[in-house]
Amino acid sequence: MPSILITGANRGLGLEWARQYAETGWRVLATCRQPEAAHELQALARRLPELSLHRLDVTDAAQVRSLAGALRGVALDILLNNAGIYLEKYAEPVLGLLDYDGWARTCAVNTLGAVRVTEAFLDHVARSEWRLVVTIGSHMGSITDIAAPGSYYYRSSKAALNAAMKGLAQALRPRGIGVLILHPGWVRTRMGGPNAPLLPEESVLGMRASIERFTLADTGRFFRYDGTEIPW
């Protein structure tokens, strides 16, 4: 049975990733900061025995190391870095009044968290058959695509994430480990809002197709959910 570990699996895209992979017979290790409050994920786990819940805050180095140790010996075919925050959704920053603590927190989750989890679980991925790290980025991390002001925290955290994952792809290629960066599109989740055109199931189905097509020739590349490549 192939296996996948998902960060931020308690809602939105993370929950949909967990559902789709568990329903197709994968072993799903679904992680989030507060499993006891993740009621939809708990219901999913009761229905799908292939799915298990695990506590993980990607900004807590000790917690990341502890879970990696608890899962020692487990082979992870896919490590899915999905956890992320977008503080500007609630209050767009104004020049002269930037919240540098909020900016640092955004980078701590979106950039450092994904790299920290990847580093901790490399041996788990290396012992699997698929050997793939998938990271959920955003087209807002594409410097080429910036055409308007704002979203400084989120944009810079995702651009830094792209750079880090591109570098990791080069480092991990000799071990046969691939790195795939995916933009899910504008999705109808709490982060995306009610006016988003895509449903979570549509987005995840598209991204899963990119995963199915992946070869090491694609490592370090950046794709939309529909398979088209995004400029850096």
Side-chain angles (χ1 to χ4, degrees):
M1 178 188 298
S3 60
I4 181 172
L5 185 145
I6 304 168
T7 65
N10 54 310
R11 62 173 180 265
L13 285 173
L15 184 66
E16 183 61 22
W17 281 108
R19 183 188 70 79
Q20 289 196 23
Y21 272 106
E23 285 184 347
T24 53
W26 282 54
R27 179 186 181 189
V28 175
L29 294 91
T31 76
C32 60
R33 290 187 301 122
Q34 297 179 306
E36 66 280 0
H39 302 303
E40 289 180 276
L41 188 58
Q42 290 175 14
L44 198 61
R46 287 192 292 270
R47 181 168 67 84
L48 300 167
E50 299 83 5
L51 190 152
S52 58
L53 276 66
H54 306 268
R55 185 180 306 278
L56 185 65
D57 180 341
V58 300
T59 68
D60 187 329
Q63 205 172 95
V64 173
R65 287 194 301 270
S66 177
L67 182 59
L71 297 175
R72 187 179 295 110
V74 173
L76 292 176
D77 290 275
I78 299 175
L79 173 63
L80 178 58
N81 291 305
N82 170 76
I85 59 173
Y86 183 19
L87 299 182
E88 290 101 322
K89 171 181 168 56
Y90 306 102
E92 182 63 47
V94 177
L95 287 177
L97 297 172
L98 296 180
D99 175 7
Y100 288 94
D101 289 338
W103 198 335
R105 170 156 175 73
T106 300
C107 291
V109 176
N110 295 355
T111 311
L112 303 184
V115 175
R116 177 180 291 112
V117 170
T118 300
E119 187 178 31
F121 286 94
L122 278 180
D123 287 343
H124 303 70
V125 175
R127 66 172 60 96
S128 74
E129 182 178 344
W130 285 53
R131 297 195 297 277
L132 182 59
V133 175
V134 177
T135 296
I136 303 305
S138 169
H139 74 101
M140 292 177 72
S142 167
I143 294 173
T144 301
D145 279 359
I146 296 176
S151 295
Y152 305 111
Y153 319 155
Y154 188 75
R155 286 187 187 279
S156 62
S157 74
K158 291 297 189 178
L161 177 63
N162 286 347
M165 289 296 158
K166 179 76 171 178
L168 283 172
Q170 307 311 313
L172 299 177
R173 183 195 286 267
R175 297 180 65 178
I177 298 175
V179 176
L180 180 60
I181 309 163
L182 297 173
H183 166 50
W186 185 15
V187 187
R188 208 174 303 166
T189 61
R190 191 171 79 169
M191 182 183 289
N195 297 321
L198 278 175
L199 294 174
E201 50 264 41
E202 296 173 292
S203 172
V204 171
L205 278 172
M207 290 188 285
R208 284 178 56 204
S210 290
I211 290 171
E212 293 287 339
R213 290 190 298 266
F214 180 84
T215 70
L216 269 182
D218 297 319
T219 195
R221 296 173 71 184
F222 185 19
F223 295 98
R224 289 184 176 84
Y225 75 97
D226 62 4
T228 57
E229 194 158 10
I230 301 178
W232 297 111

